[in-house]
Amino acid sequence: MVFLAEEDRSFRAQVRAFMSRELTPKVDAIQRDQDFGAQLAIIGALGEAGYLKLMFPDLYRGALPKPGLTHAVIVSEEAAFLNYAFESTIATALSCAYPFHRFARAAPRERYLTPILGGRAVG
């Protein structure tokens, strides 16, 4: 039984390579030294890559034709595989972003949601 389509498996491979490049070199700094700057650098890279917008298809501008929760979960799984503490940073950012996306008026949405999804702020 195959749970993920070929496109999703390909996306997982892309995310795994990204995490290997961005997260793996910083795992010790995050785990041992509790280096929040290292976490912020990776969040910034995730935002630049568009990975933080996957749960918000109306905001996503990447190559996936149907982004959504499955792809956001793939990003979380790949991060958690390398460092669960860092994955909780992703989860925190996105749990703060969702209410702004769903319920906020334009001004607060722009002020808070845009930086979170761009990787320039953590919720």
Side-chain angles (χ1 to χ4, degrees):
M1 176 180 278
V2 176
F3 291 105
L4 294 176
E6 179 57 38
E7 173 187 17
D8 302 330
R9 288 192 300 275
S10 175
F11 179 73
R12 181 180 293 282
Q14 172 191 335
V15 171
R16 186 169 290 165
F18 175 91
M19 291 296 179
S20 178
R21 185 177 62 252
E22 298 292 334
L23 178 55
T24 299
K26 295 176 178 73
V27 165
D28 284 343
I30 293 168
Q31 193 74 24
R32 185 187 58 231
D33 305 330
Q34 299 179 352
D35 183 348
F36 193 62
Q39 292 189 47
L40 290 177
I42 302 164
I43 287 291
L46 285 166
E48 286 179 30
Y51 291 144
L52 298 177
K53 292 182 180 177
L54 290 167
M55 285 179 43
F56 311 98
D58 60 316
L59 302 176
Y60 176 77
R61 300 290 179 261
L64 292 171
K66 296 170 90 176
L69 186 57
T70 297
H71 296 105
V73 168
I74 288 171
V75 171
S76 289
E77 286 176 346
E78 292 301 320
F81 178 77
L82 294 173
N83 185 282
Y84 185 74
F86 175 72
E87 191 287 325
S88 66
T89 303
I90 297 172
T92 299
L94 294 179
S95 68
C96 291
Y98 183 79
F100 280 108
H101 180 261
R102 179 100 163 95
F103 302 110
R105 296 179 192 262
R109 188 175 191 212
E110 181 66 28
R111 181 176 178 192
Y112 297 107
L113 180 65
T114 299
I116 290 171
L117 297 184
R120 296 180 307 280
V122 177

